[in-house]
Amino acid sequence: MKAILQRVLFASVTVEKEVVSSIGKGVLVFAAVAPGDTEKEADSLAAKWKKSVMDISGEVLCVSQFTLLASTKKGNKPDFHGAMGGEEAKRLYDYFFEKVQQGYAADKVKNGVFQAMMEVALVNDGPVTLELSAGQKPIPAPAPTPTPNQQ
């Protein structure tokens, strides 16, 4: 799983011209589920930043965003095969959201609408933006290029 956290003064989600969720001071969490992710990764990701939100007595707005796992290595068009699809992704995202609620204060944790076309509005505070991941294999460092004396 991967998440982008933004500390915000305000954030909201609108679907079909209706505000479905909004928060004041807190954290906006964009979260994506990758193939092979399990409840273990969701637990880990939900716990990584909890203390930061508690420290400011803030609110949390979670938004599913599969595009966080896009690859742009080939061509001009993003490849979204790095994101888990369908019902399994929804089940694991919902599990993640429930873990965030359980680990904090359920009434202070709001949600977007999974697989909906959402308008997300925010006022970034700081700005502070963090990228977190759980369960993804680290990208290996490239092998050093030998110098002419090493060949």
Side-chain angles (χ1 to χ4, degrees):
M1 288 190 78
K2 183 175 186 177
I4 301 294
L5 280 65
Q6 293 188 306
R7 189 174 70 190
V8 297
L9 298 174
F10 167 85
S12 67
V13 173
T14 301
V15 177
E16 296 181 7
K17 299 183 182 183
E18 181 182 333
V19 176
V20 295
S21 293
S22 66
I23 63 169
K25 182 179 174 181
V27 176
L28 173 61
V29 180
F30 293 104
V33 182
D37 282 343
T38 66
E39 287 84 0
K40 179 181 175 184
E41 286 78 25
D43 291 342
S44 174
L45 198 58
K48 280 189 175 187
W49 46 274
K50 179 176 69 172
K51 184 169 176 4
S52 299
V53 177
M54 293 171 114
D55 287 348
I56 63 168
S57 298
E59 296 178 279
V60 179
L61 176 56
C62 293
V63 175
S64 63
Q65 189 175 350
F66 75 95
T67 60
L68 293 177
L69 296 169
S71 173
T72 55
K73 290 183 181 180
K74 294 182 181 179
N76 295 327
K77 190 174 177 183
D79 176 353
F80 298 108
H81 288 94
M84 183 184 286
E87 289 303 311
E88 185 62 13
K90 180 174 179 3
R91 184 195 66 76
L92 197 53
Y93 173 81
D94 288 345
Y95 177 87
F96 166 77
F97 177 74
E98 290 171 12
K99 284 297 181 180
V100 173
Q101 284 185 309
Q102 291 169 6
Y104 188 45
D107 63 322
K108 289 188 173 191
V109 180
K110 309 292 174 60
N111 203 359
V113 179
F114 191 86
Q115 288 184 327
M117 183 61 122
M118 295 177 273
E119 295 174 16
V120 180
L122 67 119
V123 176
N124 197 303
D125 184 17
V128 174
T129 303
L130 302 172
E131 179 179 345
L132 301 175
S133 62
Q136 296 177 352
K137 295 179 182 176
I139 299 170
T145 306
T147 62
N149 294 340
Q150 293 176 323
Q151 294 180 356

